[in-house]
Amino acid sequence: MRRIFLASLMVSILITSSLSAADKIVIAHRGASGYLPEHTLEAKALAYGMGADYIEQDLVLTRDDHLIVLHDITLDRTTDVASQFPERIRDDGRFYAIDFSLEEIRKLNVSESFQIRDGEKVQGYENRFPIGSSSFRIPTFEEEIQLIQGLNKSTGGDIGIYPEIKQPEFHREAGRDISTAVINMLKRYGYTTKQDKVFLQTFSFSELEIIKQEILPQAGIDIKLVQLIGGGSSYAWMLEADGMNKLAIFADGIGPEKTLVIGRSSTQSELEITPLVERAHAAGLQVHPYTYRLDPGQVPSYASDFSDLLQKHYFEAGVDGLFTDFPDRAVKFLESTR
Ligand code: CA
């Protein structure tokens, strides 16, 4: 009798954990950017092969209005623009993507992120792909959608995209409507309903309102939207008791910085799980925090290792998905819990 009870208990535990783990997703942050230079088609193909559920694109516009996949509105951190186009520097010492045509952008060599120290390029994460090795380019949004949809066809997979509109106010000041350009591209490639595998994200709440109330209705489509939440004071209202209900009018999910989910002062014996996930879920919002990295110094001390960090966020804090530079590790972790 006791044995039967234990067996049925085991089965119910297994079912419970497999159901919850099955719903959780892995978002490849800038592709498999822990292994190959961020936002290159190579990093995206690797993320696809590693089994990520969604692959992220950060988007900015070129001078001739092409959407390119680039994290910054400037080209300095990840390309050799300074040596190829030295005369195109602005007064602030930066090279802006919006000052370059797509044809010019295509000439740039992309590398792992770096800083200049004593005239030398020093890569930000020293264990990652070496600067100066092999050959990489900045892709357009359209090329990247075609890559992922092409792989969905050739592998029979159904991997989603997770585009972010970068600095919409900067683009508007330059006379450009980047959000409409993104939504037109999504519509052209069949991302038109909340059932389609796309989440559209931005840090700008005012832009999110414009997208939800004007741009999507004008395009005649309705897709899932995500409000990103940083640590700055402009996001403070979102963290208050009724903040998530206000966001839920416009968004389907939130993408908070991960310290907003489990506090910085947490220890291995005392985890400070904030009310954020509970409030978001109560408002019907999914929660996809960023960014989970296993480079030296990137795993918070409250976690014993990277898997423990994932365990604490996915299953103790209860997030629905997360952005990671190491999608293979998160995919394997979730598989191990099923
Ligand atoms: Ca992003």
Side-chain angles (χ1 to χ4, degrees):
M1 201 50 198
R2 190 159 172 243
R3 214 174 244 188
I4 292 166
F5 170 74
L6 275 177
S8 68
L9 184 71
M10 289 276 292
V11 167
S12 69
I13 287 170
L14 282 171
I15 289 170
T16 310
S17 68
S18 76
L19 278 180
S20 54
D23 291 336
K24 294 185 187 291
I25 63 167
V26 176
I27 305 148
H29 182 248
R30 311 181 197 173
S33 58
Y35 304 103
L36 280 166
E38 65 181 51
H39 286 323
T40 58
L41 292 182
E42 290 83 354
K44 304 308 169 81
L46 185 60
Y48 193 106
M50 287 174 162
D53 300 290
Y54 284 82
I55 299 175
E56 192 203 23
Q57 301 79 34
D58 290 310
L59 299 173
V60 303
L61 281 172
T62 64
R63 188 177 67 203
D64 47 352
D65 287 323
H66 290 278
L67 287 165
I68 55 171
V69 185
L70 184 70
H71 179 267
D72 308 342
I73 56 173
T74 54
L75 296 155
D76 310 46
R77 186 175 57 85
T78 53
T79 78
D80 61 349
V81 65
S83 57
Q84 287 203 48
F85 297 93
E87 74 287 357
R88 307 287 282 279
I89 196 166
R90 283 201 197 179
D91 290 343
D92 64 0
R94 312 299 296 271
F95 298 84
Y96 286 77
I98 206 161
D99 295 339
F100 290 78
S101 68
L102 179 60
E103 196 186 343
E104 290 166 339
I105 296 271
R106 289 196 187 285
K107 292 179 181 154
L108 300 175
N109 293 297
V110 176
S111 72
E112 188 59 40
S113 169
F114 62 86
Q115 290 182 322
I116 304 288
R117 269 184 231 145
D118 301 326
E120 295 284 311
K121 288 181 180 177
V122 179
Q123 63 188 78
Y125 295 103
E126 62 175 326
N127 292 346
R128 294 192 178 185
F129 197 88
I131 288 181
S133 290
S134 197
S135 174
F136 304 97
R137 297 287 177 275
I138 294 174
T140 65
F141 186 32
E142 186 163 29
E143 287 166 343
E144 183 155 335
I145 292 174
Q146 289 180 359
L147 176 83
I148 294 167
Q149 292 195 347
L151 282 165
N152 280 342
K153 177 170 186 285
S154 60
T155 68
D158 187 21
I159 300 309
I161 61 172
Y162 211 124
E164 178 183 348
I165 296 167
K166 299 304 287 193
Q167 303 209 22
E169 289 83 5
F170 168 87
H171 283 92
R172 288 192 184 282
E173 278 165 29
R176 316 299 179 86
D177 179 358
I178 185 173
S179 297
T180 295
V182 170
I183 282 154
N184 287 343
M185 186 69 77
L186 292 174
K187 187 178 177 182
R188 190 179 311 160
Y189 280 87
Y191 301 98
T192 58
T193 74
K194 284 182 190 278
Q195 284 70 51
D196 293 317
K197 293 201 76 174
V198 59
F199 287 92
L200 179 61
Q201 44 165 343
T202 182
F203 275 104
S204 168
F205 178 67
S206 60
E207 192 73 12
L208 193 80
E209 287 179 301
I210 295 170
I211 290 168
K212 184 68 180 179
Q213 294 179 320
E214 297 172 26
I215 302 175
L216 287 176
Q218 271 164 21
I221 70 173
D222 193 23
I223 56 173
K224 293 186 291 270
L225 301 177
V226 169
Q227 171 69 51
L228 297 171
I229 305 177
S233 57
S234 62
Y235 303 100
W237 67 267
M238 300 177 188
L239 309 177
E240 290 167 10
D242 59 347
M244 292 299 144
N245 292 327
K246 289 178 185 167
L247 286 180
I249 298 168
F250 307 98
D252 303 276
I254 56 167
E257 210 283 322
K258 68 181 183 298
T259 58
L260 299 172
V261 173
I262 297 181
R264 279 181 208 280
S265 47
S266 294
T267 62
Q268 293 210 17
S269 57
E270 209 169 331
L271 216 52
E272 286 178 17
I273 297 173
T274 73
L276 183 81
V277 174
E278 203 180 318
R279 286 177 182 168
H281 284 168
L285 294 168
Q286 297 186 53
V287 184
H288 301 157
Y290 62 91
T291 304
Y292 298 77
R293 301 183 169 107
L294 54 80
D295 307 88
Q298 295 294 314
V299 175
S301 58
Y302 63 75
S304 57
D305 59 19
F306 190 65
S307 292
D308 186 44
L309 178 67
L310 298 177
Q311 162 71 25
K312 286 181 159 69
H313 280 257
Y314 272 124
F315 293 107
E316 293 180 47
V319 305
D320 306 290
L322 48 78
F323 288 86
T324 179
D325 295 357
F326 301 87
D328 57 330
R329 298 286 295 259
V331 168
K332 279 180 195 143
F333 169 76
L334 285 180
E335 278 171 3
S336 76
T337 67
R338 281 168 192 158

